Amino acid sequence: MARILIVEDEADLRDILHFNLQQAGYTVFPVATGREALRLARERRPDLVVLDLHLPDIDGTEVVKRLKADSATEDVPVLVLTARGEEVDRVLGFELGAEDYVVKPFSVRELLLRIAALLRRREAPREQRDVEFGLLRVDREAHRAWVDGAETTLTALELRLLLTLHDRKNRVQTRERLLDEVWGIDADITTRTVDTHVKRLREKLGAAGGYIETVRGVGYPFRESPDAHTA
Ligand code: CA
């Protein structure tokens, strides 16, 4: 069963989470500080981290940043717990690479569903297999793409953009992150360029273009879109 690191300084909430996750069959490592969280994440290699953003020592956003910057922990999904109305923190959570968040107060049931979804996503193979998603097919080695059986000609950059979005399915990819991963961090272009290329890629994908959604002001998640299937 999956191993979950809980990072929450409020003892009552930490105990509730500990109890409920254990009841659900998970192995739980509860800690109260960011420092302990970073240490345990390296030592115990959890399958998922549930992280309160407001911690007494290291700020939660900084904990996410360090987890994602460390090759030992970068692939561990992070679910952020945040207080109501913290719009900035939420956005920041995604920009920093947190995979999901729930707003306090939340129901344990909802949290368990989110955790299960993140863990399922983690088990799914990615980045090796050819893309077969709804109307979309991509042969990675041949650098060829098809929509509903018809080949669409993508530039190398468009293909890279598409695969980067696809391989991080259901997670919002910020324009900054896309710039970094698709163009390379030193590229002398602006985030607006990302918007332009996403727009062109969507057009080339036609009926499958709807898989690339826009989260205004944040970035782009690749998602199953019901519209695309009715095309
Ligand atoms: Ca707290």
Side-chain angles (χ1 to χ4, degrees):
M1 201 56 180
R3 298 139 56 88
I4 300 180
L5 175 61
I6 296 173
V7 192
E8 170 59 73
D9 59 312
E10 290 162 55
D12 288 351
L13 182 53
R14 190 172 62 244
D15 289 347
I16 289 169
L17 293 174
H18 187 172
F19 175 79
N20 281 284
L21 293 179
Q22 219 162 36
Q23 286 291 107
Y26 297 115
T27 300
V28 181
F29 311 119
V31 301
T33 66
R35 215 170 301 280
E36 286 176 276
L38 291 168
R39 185 173 58 79
L40 271 179
R42 298 210 82 194
E43 284 177 7
R44 301 296 182 90
R45 302 296 170 98
D47 298 297
L48 184 133
V49 178
V50 176
L51 173 74
D52 179 33
L53 276 191
H54 295 277
L55 298 169
D57 57 342
I58 309 172
D59 190 71
T61 55
E62 180 62 27
V63 174
V64 178
K65 206 185 288 180
R66 292 194 202 171
L67 288 172
K68 296 298 175 185
D70 185 338
S71 59
T73 52
E74 65 181 350
D75 289 331
V76 181
V78 178
L79 191 156
V80 162
L81 306 178
T82 178
R84 189 176 290 279
E86 287 176 309
E87 205 59 45
V88 176
D89 280 353
R90 288 195 206 174
V91 172
L92 209 52
F94 282 115
E95 281 181 356
L96 291 168
E99 275 73 12
D100 202 358
Y101 68 86
V102 295
V103 177
K104 292 179 177 179
F106 51 84
S107 75
V108 169
R109 188 181 141 72
E110 182 186 0
L111 184 72
L112 287 172
L113 289 172
R114 300 285 192 92
I115 286 172
L118 283 175
L119 290 170
R120 266 201 310 276
R121 216 180 290 168
R122 190 170 190 235
E123 285 160 13
R126 51 166 196 170
E127 287 167 27
Q128 298 101 15
R129 302 207 324 203
D130 288 338
V131 174
E132 292 193 6
F133 185 84
L135 299 172
L136 184 66
R137 300 278 178 279
V138 179
D139 182 330
R140 290 178 195 262
E141 292 213 346
H143 298 279
R144 295 174 70 188
W146 295 262
V147 176
D148 207 10
E151 184 160 12
T152 177
T153 309
L154 303 180
T155 65
L157 191 132
E158 286 163 351
L159 193 70
R160 207 153 64 231
L161 180 58
L162 174 61
L163 290 173
T164 301
L165 290 166
H166 170 271
D167 292 343
R168 295 173 177 275
K169 208 175 290 152
N170 294 315
R171 286 182 275 173
V172 179
Q173 299 306 303
T174 65
R175 290 177 293 182
E176 289 76 11
R177 180 157 194 164
L178 290 171
L179 267 182
D180 184 3
E181 298 202 355
V182 178
W183 279 263
I185 197 156
D186 296 328
D188 185 24
I189 54 170
T190 65
T191 50
R192 196 166 298 230
T193 310
V194 178
D195 298 336
T196 309
H197 279 83
V198 167
K199 186 164 177 279
R200 193 173 310 151
L201 176 60
R202 268 203 197 109
E203 285 166 7
K204 285 195 178 181
L205 293 178
Y211 296 144
I212 304 172
E213 294 185 5
T214 301
V215 176
R216 201 163 293 282
V218 183
Y220 302 97
F222 188 97
R223 282 201 184 105
E224 180 125 21
S225 155
D227 298 343
H229 284 291
T230 60

